Amino acid sequence: MIYRCPLCQQPLQAKPRGAYCAANHQFDRAKEGYLNLLPVQFKRSKDPGDNKAMTQARRAFLNAGHYAPMRQAMIDALTQALNGEHQTILDVGCGEGYYTHAIADQTAAQQWSIYGLDIAKIAVRYAAKWYPQCQFSVASSQRLPFADNSLDGVVRIYAPCNGDELDRVIKPGGVVVTVTPGPRHLFQLKAGIYDEVRLHETPAEALPGFQLESERSLHYPMTLAGEQALTLLQMTPLAWRASDEWRETLANANGFHCEADFTLRVYRHHTEIDSAKGEA
């Protein structure tokens, strides 16, 4: 087991109904199979993360295939960056497992081990129920419950994460694959909210211990039915600014045409040799 205790950072040992550490901190395994590694003192609310309605709406939108090209581009970037068998991958902010299970399915022949982590218990519950080929946990991305140098790669699709934690858990030579919105992402959706839509670039991150290895843009059109357009709005922070009139317009649209625009980046973790050169 590559999990570590989120309270005392000692290794976790598996038991029939959960896991425990040498300090006897106990963590339950739900009937669906996921571990709850989010102690109550680390929560900012009773049920942090997306609620049931948001989770189900996002699943319906994603299963319609609108983000499938981006998902495949992400998997291609990951598998090209990490060749070979027995890689261990974490999907941070995995939600209900739409991306997580696809990574597992496409790397099954190479016997990759795929983990998913999210702060939203309801989303992880669905993910663990639907995709038993992956290992899921409820946990914070700011305190990753994994041992030092235990992961070959981490996938982050829109998800925030502690850069120092990535530096700690990813092996030398491992990678972080990120997906962020490109300048024209959801341009038409924004046009119904703002008088003037500004095209913002998303610069590469300065991740401690990592170097940007590759970057590519992915841009394509989407045509959404009314309910899908409204669901997409609800999946984004734009929902907070959308008027009731714009929501009604989207809900009644027979075909809403919108752009998808993503930036995919691969960051390589410095090897010990590279680090020594950097200090020299």
Side-chain angles (χ1 to χ4, degrees):
M1 178 173 277
I2 64 173
Y3 288 116
R4 75 173 194 176
C5 177
L7 293 172
C8 67
Q9 288 73 58
Q10 296 188 73
L12 287 179
Q13 304 295 326
K15 64 176 185 177
R17 296 185 179 180
Y20 67 97
C21 70
N24 204 33
H25 295 127
Q26 307 279 336
F27 302 94
D28 294 334
R29 185 180 299 278
K31 64 179 181 180
E32 294 84 359
Y34 68 88
L35 279 174
N36 191 338
L37 301 176
L38 186 64
V40 64
Q41 57 266 46
F42 292 169
K43 295 182 180 181
R44 295 183 178 180
S45 62
K46 182 179 179 181
D47 291 306
D50 293 344
N51 59 32
K52 183 177 182 179
M54 294 168 65
T55 298
Q56 292 178 335
R58 183 174 60 239
R59 175 173 171 80
F61 176 86
L62 292 174
N63 282 350
H66 300 297
Y67 281 5
M70 178 268 279
R71 181 175 71 175
Q72 190 58 52
M74 175 274 295
I75 295 174
D76 291 345
L78 178 65
T79 54
Q80 289 167 14
L82 292 174
N83 294 317
E85 299 182 343
H86 304 292
Q87 305 289 330
T88 302
I89 308 298
L90 170 65
D91 180 9
V92 172
C94 66
E96 64 286 352
Y98 173 78
Y99 303 99
T100 326
H101 88 89
I103 299 172
D105 291 347
Q106 294 191 33
T107 60
Q110 289 76 39
Q111 301 180 62
W112 286 25
S113 298
I114 312 300
Y115 291 76
L117 173 153
D118 202 286
I119 201 170
K121 183 188 292 187
I122 186 64
V124 172
R125 181 181 299 159
Y126 284 137
K129 179 179 179 179
W130 293 327
Y131 309 120
Q133 69 271 43
C134 307
Q135 300 184 58
F136 292 98
S137 63
V138 178
S140 169
S141 63
Q142 301 303 307
R143 301 179 180 88
L144 296 175
F146 292 91
D148 296 356
N149 302 318
S150 59
L151 303 174
D152 296 288
V154 167
V155 171
R156 288 174 48 205
I157 301 176
Y158 288 26
C161 194
N162 185 324
D164 290 329
E165 283 289 88
L166 295 175
D167 186 29
R168 179 183 65 79
V169 301
I170 296 180
K171 300 173 185 177
V175 297
V176 175
V177 178
T178 67
V179 179
T180 54
R184 293 193 63 84
H185 189 53
L186 308 185
F187 182 91
Q188 292 75 14
L189 200 61
K190 296 174 183 176
I193 299 174
Y194 302 104
D195 293 332
E196 179 182 356
V197 180
R198 298 181 180 180
L199 304 182
H200 296 288
E201 295 286 347
T202 305
E205 297 179 72
L207 293 176
F210 292 84
Q211 183 174 3
L212 179 64
E213 182 171 273
S214 66
E215 177 179 328
R216 66 162 293 196
S217 296
L218 178 65
H219 182 268
Y220 58 89
M222 300 185 293
T223 300
L224 312 175
E227 282 302 315
Q228 293 175 341
L230 190 58
T231 295
L232 178 57
L233 175 67
Q234 292 299 119
M235 287 168 53
T236 73
L238 297 172
W240 295 102
R241 294 180 174 272
S243 66
D244 291 339
E245 291 78 10
W246 183 231
R247 293 173 187 272
E248 184 176 355
T249 297
L250 293 175
N252 294 327
N254 291 324
F256 181 73
H257 301 285
C258 191
E259 295 172 78
D261 187 14
F262 302 102
T263 301
L264 293 87
R265 296 185 174 96
V266 176
Y267 299 85
R268 181 76 64 177
H269 200 202
H270 296 321
T271 64
E272 294 178 356
I273 294 177
D274 290 336
S275 299
K277 288 180 179 179
E279 294 173 358

